[in-house]
Amino acid sequence: MEALLEHAQAGCEAKRDVFLNATEGAQLFERAAQRYLSISGKEFLRRWDAGYYTDPSERARAMRVALLIPFVRSVSARKNTR
């Protein structure tokens, strides 16, 4: 998982497709929030939804995490339908 984050951070082109299940996607989101913003994924979602990231320097780091939101929002939606 860490290698995937490092690969993306370096801006490397993917040489192969990577598939993650719901659990792995949620773990990737959590690790990205901790790595780029030093906060939990739950706190990131709260801040993101509130429009907290307006500073350009912080917003660039936040966007790296925001791209992973579908992993956790889709997991939450599936859990709420059970």
Side-chain angles (χ1 to χ4, degrees), residues 49-81:
D49 291 342
Y52 177 85
Y53 297 104
T54 57
D55 180 76
S57 64
E58 193 170 39
R59 186 160 179 84
R61 289 182 289 134
M63 286 301 296
R64 291 180 182 266
V65 182
L67 290 171
L68 302 172
I69 289 174
F71 281 117
V72 293
R73 290 272 161 93
S74 63
V75 169
S76 297
R78 282 195 298 267
K79 285 182 180 175
N80 290 334
T81 60

Side-chain angles (χ1 to χ4, degrees), residues 1 4 7 14-28 68 71 78:
M1 203 69 65
L4 187 59
H7 186 74
K15 293 184 171 57
R16 61 184 172 82
D17 292 334
V18 176
F19 297 93
L20 302 175
N21 64 34
T23 301
E24 293 167 333
Q27 289 172 347
L28 180 63
L68 302 172
F71 281 117
R78 282 195 298 267

